[in-house]
Amino acid sequence: KRQSMIKLTKDEQLSLMPTTEINMLNLMGYIALQVKLEQIAEEFLSKGIMRRPEYADITLTKVQDSSAADLTELMDEAKKAQPLFQQLMKNIVNGMDVNPDAVLFVELAPIIDHGHAYTVLTLAPLKGVARCEEKIKNDYEGNHLCMLDLVRGSIVVRTEEQVAEVLQKLLDTGDVVRVKNRFAKPLPTGMRDVLVNIKVGGHICEIQIHMASILKEKPNMHVFYEFFREMFPGSSDAYLETMKKVKALGSLGTESGSGEGSIAWGISLLLKEGNLTRLKGLAGVVGK
């Protein structure tokens, strides 16, 4: 409404370079998806269970307690721990009287990611070597012992109560070394889940606890995430900090071209409006 009150003359209407327009169209899609995720959270997390103190973040360690000299040796340890981890996850899901192999449906459609339909329990293969090497270089300053998700899996539930139930069962083992409760502290992208690192057979593994209604949007958000990762290279923390600033930009439009409702029109209005906070967000994207 604020923008619609500002009128543009013909000379004030910008035209955009194709690269800038593509960047901005992706940004507007990203912001629109964030708004949708906030609406989902308001509906499905209204009881505030995951904000309770007993589910607060925990950090007992950030590294493997291992003498592995390199990634290859650490992968060998992970292979030994994997079957123990998988059995533990199966026991937890079975204890909830839920079918671990049930495919999750949201709005009559399965949750698909990379061609895979999520089930209540998804046990992933060991993390790939190339991705490990990338994370070790970009996120962990060359320290392979910071890799805590070589062995990994996910549990997907439908309610906030079930998220808390899974987390409590993991905590009750006494082997949890780290919890990232991103239902209480969402990522700047708006995605929410819980990451739990648990020691199994002497090796730290990772289980992700998802809520189906939020997980459904993960593939869509991942498209935007990867697009902006290429624009803003560096560590994950640096990327997320940049995207926080970009979020302040707000919506500018959803269409290509130059007519009213287009990205070019929205930028033209923003420049005339002169809102400093939003202009800084604009510079964070166009400046790249």
Side-chain angles (χ1 to χ4, degrees), residues 5-24:
M5 296 173 64
I6 303 173
K7 304 300 180 182
L8 292 175
T9 67
K10 183 177 180 180
D11 291 339
E12 292 171 328
Q13 169 65 58
L14 299 176
S15 60
L16 301 180
M17 293 178 61
T19 301
T20 300
E21 185 170 72
I22 290 171
N23 292 347
M24 296 306 300

Side-chain angles (χ1 to χ4, degrees), residues 63-78 80 143-146 199 201-204:
V63 296
Q64 295 281 358
D65 181 15
S66 169
S67 60
D70 54 29
L71 178 59
T72 299
E73 291 187 7
L74 192 64
M75 291 287 283
D76 289 339
E77 293 180 1
K80 295 176 182 178
N143 187 356
H144 62 282
L145 295 179
C146 291
K199 186 176 285 190
H203 183 86
I204 298 175

